[in-house]
C-alpha cells in the first residue's frame, strides 16, 4: 500500500510538472478513448482522481464516455473502488452546485454504456456490495431498467445467487424493477437457483410475483415442480394459500400445470403438496387431454409412480385412472407405448385392461407393437398374473431366515415347479385386433405403420442384393480371366506360349497353379448385413 501511495504521488508530481494547467490533459485519449480520469478511476488511484477533480475544468470528463460508452463511474463501479465512486459522485454534485445552483444531478448515475448498463449494473455483476449500496442510496427513487441482455440489477443479483445484494436492493430501493430475461422475474431466478432464503425475501417483498409468468407461460410454481424442489414448492404454496389460482395456471401452448410437470418427473412429494392445497387440480388436462396419470406413464421412473398414485387414496385421483386423452388412450395405453415397467398398476383391479382407443386398440395391442423393452416382471404379469404373484411370494419367502424342514423344503420346491410351468406359457395379446386390422374392410386393407416400414426395408434389401450380385459376377469373371491369361501371349505357328523356355515363366506357372488349386470359393454374401 505504501509503494502504491508513493507511486501515485510521483505520478501526480510528474503531471503537475509537465502540465501547468489541467486543460492541457483533457484532449489526451487512449486508443479506447479513455481520458486520464477513466484511467485513474479504473485503477482506484484516489489521490489522482482527487487532484483531477480539484480543477473546475474537469467537469466535462465526469460524463465523457469512452469507446464502449463507459464513464469513469462505470469503471470505478466495475472494479469495486468505493472511495473513487464516492469521490466522483461528490465532485459532480459540487460542480453542479457551483455552476447552476440546482442541486445534485443524477444524470451520471443513470448514464448507460453501449450495453445499456448503468454503474449499478456493473457493481452488481461483479458483486461489489458496498458500491451497490452507495449507488442506490445516491438515487433511491430511480427505477433501473433492463440492459441490452434483458437484465435488471435485481434479477441479475438473484440469478447469480447474490443473496446479500438482493437484500440491499430490496431494502434500499423498494420500487426496483424485478424483470429479467424472457419475461422472468427475480422470483423465477431464485426458484431456478433453488435458493430458499432469496425466495423467502422476494416473496415477502412482493407476494404477487408468484402469479407472474414468463414469455412461455411458466410461473415460479412451474419452475419449482420442474426443479423437483419440494421445499420451495411449499414456500410458494404457503404464500399463495389465500389465492390458489396459481396452481391452475397452464403453460402457454400446452396448458400443462405444475401438477402435470411433477407427475411427469415422478415427484410424489410435490404432487401431494399440490393436491393438498387444491384437490380438484387433478381434474385439469393439457391441450391433448392428458391428466396426471397420463403424465405419470410418459416417462420411466425408478419407482412405480403410477401405482403409488393409486395407493394414495387421500389424493382422490383413482377416478382418473381410466380417462382417455384426445387420441382415446388411457394411462394404461401410454404405459405400454412408453415401456413403463409398473406391474402393480397393470394388475390393479380398478384399471380397465380392455378399454380401446380411437384406433380400436387396447392396452395389449399397444404392448405388442411397442419397441420399448419391458422387464421380466412386466412380461410375466401380462402372461399370467398368478405367475407374477407366485414369483413375488417365493422371493419374499426366500428372504426369510431358512429353517431346515422337510415340509418347508417341499413348499419351496412346489413353488418353483409352478414357476417353471408358467414360465413356458407364450405371451398372447388379449385380442387379435393388430392382426385382423389389415384385413378389415372398414380400414380399407390399411397396413400398420410398422408393417409398411418392414416392407420398405425388404424392398431396399432386394435392390441392394441385386447390385451386389452383379458386382460379384464381374469380380469373379475378371479374376478367372487373369488366372488363365499367360504373360507374353501365344505363338502363331504352334499355339504354344512364347515364354515357355524361360525359367521365370515356369516359376509363374507353378505358382499360379498352386494358388488356383488351394483357393476356396468365397462365401455367399450376406445382403442383409451389406444393406
Amino acid at each position: 500500500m505504501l509503494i502504491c501511495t508513493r507511486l501515485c504521488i510521483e505520478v501526480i508530481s510528474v503531471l503537475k510538472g509537465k502540465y501547468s494547467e489541467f486543460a492541457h490533459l483533457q484532449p489526451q485519449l487512449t486508443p479506447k478513448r479513455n481520458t486520464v480520469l477513466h484511467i485513474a478511476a479504473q485503477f482506484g488511484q484516489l489521490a489522482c482522481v482527487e487532484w483531477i477533480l480539484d480543477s473546475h475544468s474537469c467537469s466535462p470528463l465526469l460524463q465523457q464516455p469512452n469507446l464502449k460508452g463507459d464513464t469513469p463511474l462505470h469503471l470505478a463501479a466495475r472494479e469495486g473502488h468505493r472511495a473513487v465512486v464516492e469521490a466522483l459522485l461528490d465532485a459532480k454534485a459540487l460542480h453542479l452546485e457551483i455552476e447552476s445552483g440546482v442541486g445534485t444531478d443524477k444524470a451520471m448515475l443513470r448514464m448507460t454504456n453501449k450495453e445499456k448498463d448503468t454503474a449499478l449494473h456493473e457493481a452488481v455483476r461483479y458483486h461489489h456490495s458496498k458500491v451497490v449500496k452507495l449507488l442506490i442510496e445516491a438515487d433511491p427513487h430511480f427505477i433501473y431498467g433492463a440492459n441490452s441482455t434483458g437484465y435488471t440489477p435485481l434479477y441479475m443479483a438473484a440469478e447469480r445467487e447474490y443473496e446479500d445484494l438482493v437484500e440491499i436492493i430490496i431494502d434500499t430501493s423498494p420500487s426496483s424493477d424485478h424483470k429479467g430475461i424472457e419475461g422472468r422475474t427475480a422470483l423465477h431466478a431464485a426458484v431456478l437457483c433453488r435458493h430458499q432464503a432469496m425466495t423467502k425475501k422476494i416473496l415477502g417483498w412482493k407476494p404477487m410475483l408468484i402469479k407472474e409468468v414468463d414469455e412461455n407461460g411458466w410461473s415460479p410454481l412451474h419452475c419449482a415442480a420442474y426443479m423437483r424442489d419440494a421445499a420451495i414448492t411449499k414456500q410458494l404454496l404457503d404464500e399463495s394459500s389465500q389465492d390458489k389460482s396459481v396452481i391452475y395456471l397452464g403453460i402457454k401452448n400446452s396448458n400443462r400445470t405444475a401438477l402435470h410437470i411433477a407427475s411427469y418427473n415422478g415427484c410424489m412429494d410435490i404432487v401431494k403438496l399440490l393436491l393438498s392445497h387444491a384437490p380438484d387440480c387433478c381434474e385439469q388436462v393439457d391441450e391433448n387431454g392428458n391428466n396426471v396419470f397420463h403424465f405419470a406413464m410418459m416417462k420411466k421412473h425408478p419407482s412405480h409412480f403410477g401405482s403409488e398414485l393409486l395407493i394414495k387414496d387421500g389424493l382422490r385421483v383413482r377416478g382418473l385412472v381410466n380417462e382417455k386423452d384426445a387420441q382415446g388412450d388411457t394411462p394404461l395405453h401410454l404405459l405400454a407405448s412408453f415401456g413403463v415397467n409398473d406391474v402393480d398398476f397393470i394388475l390393479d383391479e380398478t384399471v380397465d385392461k380392455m378399454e380401446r382407443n380411437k384406433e380400436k386398440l387396447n392396452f395389449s395391442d399397444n404392448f405388442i407393437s411397442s419397441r420399448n423393452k419391458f422387464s421380466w416382471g412386466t412380461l410375466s404379469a401380462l402372461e399370467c398374473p398368478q405367475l407374477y404373484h407366485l414369483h413375488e411370494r417365493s422371493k419374499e419367502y426366500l428372504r426369510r431366515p431358512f429353517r431346515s424342514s422337510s415340509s418347508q423344503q417341499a413348499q419351496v420346491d412346489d413353488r418353483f415347479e409352478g414357476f417353471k410351468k408358467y414360465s413356458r406359457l407364450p405371451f398372447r395379446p388379449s385380442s387379435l385386433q393388430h392382426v385382423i386390422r389389415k384385413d378389415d374392410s372398414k380400414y380399407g386393407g390399411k397396413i400398420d405403420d410398422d408393417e409398411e416400414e418392414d416392407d420398405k426395408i425388404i424392398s431396399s434389401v432386394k435392390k441392394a442384393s441385386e447390385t451386389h450380385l452383379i458386382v460379384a459376377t464381374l469380380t469373379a469373371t475378371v479374376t478367372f480371366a487373369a488366372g488363365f491369361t499367360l504373360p507374353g501371349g501365344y505363338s502363331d505357328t504352334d499355339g504354344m506360349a512364347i515364354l515357355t523356355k524361360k525359367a521365370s515363366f515356369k516359376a509363374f506357372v507353378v505358382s499360379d497353379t498352386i494358388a488356383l488349386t488351394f483357393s476356396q470359393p468365397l462365401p455367399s454374401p450376406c445382403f442383409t448385413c451389406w444393406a
Side-chain angles (χ1 to χ4, degrees):
M1 184 66 183
L2 181 61
I3 296 176
C4 293
T5 304
R6 289 179 178 176
L7 181 61
C8 185
I9 294 174
E10 292 178 1
V11 171
I12 294 174
S13 62
V14 169
L15 290 174
K16 287 181 178 179
K18 189 172 182 180
Y19 300 97
S20 57
E21 294 183 5
F22 182 78
H24 297 156
L25 277 174
Q26 288 183 278
Q28 305 298 320
L29 299 175
T30 67
K32 292 186 176 180
R33 301 188 65 81
N34 285 317
T35 66
V36 64
L37 187 57
H38 279 95
I39 297 173
Q42 180 179 2
F43 291 97
Q45 299 298 323
L46 180 61
C48 288
V49 170
E50 290 177 341
W51 175 75
I52 296 171
L53 295 176
D54 284 341
S55 173
H56 297 312
S57 59
C58 80
S59 179
L61 296 184
L62 289 170
Q63 297 186 31
Q64 183 171 335
N66 63 8
L67 194 61
K68 294 184 177 181
D70 294 324
T71 64
L73 186 62
H74 279 94
L75 300 183
R78 182 182 302 162
E79 300 298 331
H81 302 311
R82 183 183 183 279
V84 175
V85 171
E86 190 172 9
L88 292 172
L89 294 176
D90 293 342
K92 184 62 180 175
L94 177 63
H95 285 298
L96 287 172
E97 287 175 357
I98 294 175
E99 294 172 2
S100 61
V102 296
T104 304
D105 188 5
K106 308 300 182 183
M108 187 170 62
L109 279 168
R110 304 175 184 183
M111 284 188 65
T112 60
N113 58 19
K114 291 186 177 180
E115 297 295 329
K116 295 186 179 179
D117 284 322
T118 63
L120 182 60
H121 283 90
E122 298 289 357
V124 170
R125 178 179 287 109
Y126 295 100
H127 201 181
H128 301 307
S129 55
K130 293 182 179 179
V131 176
V132 169
K133 187 173 183 180
L134 177 63
L135 292 172
I136 295 178
E137 289 176 345
D139 193 5
H141 301 294
F142 179 65
I143 300 177
Y144 290 88
N147 60 10
S148 59
T149 313
Y151 287 99
T152 57
L154 180 58
Y155 184 89
M156 187 184 295
E159 190 181 58
R160 286 165 170 73
E161 300 185 53
Y162 298 157
E163 180 185 350
D164 55 338
L165 297 189
V166 170
E167 292 183 359
I168 291 173
I169 295 173
I170 290 177
D171 294 339
T172 310
S173 180
S175 59
S176 296
D177 192 355
H178 54 266
K179 287 291 186 180
I181 59 173
E182 298 180 356
R184 297 173 188 162
T185 66
L187 184 58
H188 282 90
V191 170
L192 290 172
C193 293
R194 306 181 68 174
H195 203 297
Q196 296 184 33
M198 281 197 308
T199 301
K200 182 179 180 180
K201 181 68 177 180
I202 297 172
L203 280 173
W205 172 53
K206 284 188 177 180
M208 294 304 294
L209 289 183
I210 192 174
K211 297 179 65 175
E212 291 202 25
V213 297
D214 64 9
E215 294 175 356
N216 298 314
W218 283 65
S219 69
L221 191 61
H222 285 103
C223 297
Y226 178 79
M227 300 301 295
R228 308 181 184 184
D229 197 313
I232 289 184
T233 301
K234 188 176 186 304
Q235 276 185 294
L236 298 173
L237 292 175
D238 290 343
E239 189 62 38
S240 62
S241 58
Q242 302 300 324
D243 185 5
K244 300 178 182 179
S245 60
V246 64
I247 302 177
Y248 302 92
L249 291 176
I251 298 175
K252 185 179 179 181
N253 298 330
S254 68
N255 202 34
R256 296 178 182 178
T257 65
L259 180 64
H260 295 150
I261 296 174
S263 179
Y264 178 77
N265 289 329
C267 302
M268 181 58 72
D269 293 340
I270 298 180
V271 169
K272 290 192 292 186
L273 281 171
L274 293 168
L275 292 177
S276 64
H277 281 74
D280 59 340
C281 72
C282 65
E283 299 178 1
Q284 280 189 274
V285 295
D286 70 348
E287 63 173 0
N288 295 319
N290 296 306
N291 62 26
V292 60
F293 271 113
H294 286 97
F295 280 97
M297 298 303 171
M298 293 181 185
K299 186 177 180 181
K300 295 182 179 180
H301 304 289
S303 60
H304 296 167
F305 185 71
S307 55
E308 288 181 14
L309 281 175
L310 279 175
I311 295 171
K312 306 291 184 181
D313 292 333
L315 300 183
R316 303 176 184 177
V317 295
R318 294 181 68 89
L320 308 175
V321 69
N322 294 316
E323 283 195 356
K324 297 182 178 181
D325 61 12
Q327 286 73 39
D329 290 328
T330 66
L332 193 60
H333 283 92
L334 297 186
L335 177 145
S337 299
F338 286 89
V340 178
N341 292 294
D342 195 341
V343 179
D344 294 328
F345 185 85
I346 298 173
L347 299 181
D348 192 280
E349 59 184 10
T350 62
V351 178
D352 189 355
K353 284 99 179 156
M354 298 304 297
E355 190 66 52
R356 301 182 183 276
N357 57 19
K358 291 184 177 181
E359 297 180 352
K360 306 301 180 183
L361 300 176
N362 63 14
F363 142 73
S364 297
D365 302 322
N366 273 21
F367 187 88
I368 287 294
S369 61
S370 175
R371 298 181 179 180
N372 295 290
K373 295 181 179 180
F374 290 85
S375 67
W376 179 91
T378 304
L379 293 173
S380 62
L382 293 172
E383 292 177 0
C384 183
Q386 293 85 350
L387 169 62
Y388 173 74
H389 290 304
L390 177 64
H391 182 250
E392 292 299 314
R393 287 197 301 270
S394 64
K395 288 196 300 183
E396 181 182 357
Y397 178 82
L398 292 176
R399 284 194 292 266
R400 299 175 182 174
F402 181 76
R403 297 182 179 87
S404 179
S405 168
S406 58
S407 61
Q408 289 178 345
Q409 184 64 43
Q411 190 176 6
V412 173
D413 293 339
D414 291 341
R415 288 180 177 180
F416 277 100
E417 284 301 322
F419 173 82
K420 292 177 182 178
K421 176 182 177 182
Y422 284 117
S423 64
R424 292 192 293 269
L425 293 176
F427 172 70
R428 296 182 179 88
S430 59
S431 73
L432 298 177
Q433 186 67 30
H434 70 291
V435 177
I436 65 175
R437 179 177 174 183
K438 60 182 179 181
D439 298 325
D440 192 346
S441 60
K442 180 178 179 180
Y443 291 91
K446 181 181 177 182
I447 302 176
D448 288 343
D449 294 337
D450 292 341
E451 296 180 2
E452 290 180 357
E453 185 174 352
D454 292 341
D455 292 341
K456 291 180 181 179
I457 294 175
I458 294 173
S459 177
S460 63
V461 169
K462 288 181 178 179
K463 291 180 180 179
S465 65
E466 293 174 0
T467 303
H468 294 153
L469 184 60
I470 295 173
V471 173
T473 303
L474 292 175
T475 303
T477 303
V478 173
T479 302
F480 282 101
F484 287 105
T485 301
L486 297 180
Y490 299 92
S491 174
D492 295 334
T493 57
D494 55 4
M496 299 295 292
I498 297 176
L499 303 176
T500 303
K501 297 182 180 181
K502 298 288 184 179
S504 57
F505 176 78
K506 295 178 180 180
F508 165 75
V509 171
V510 172
S511 301
D512 191 35
T513 303
I514 294 173
L516 188 62
T517 302
F518 287 97
S519 63
Q520 296 294 330
L522 293 173
S524 300
C526 180
F527 298 114
T528 304
C529 297
W530 290 5

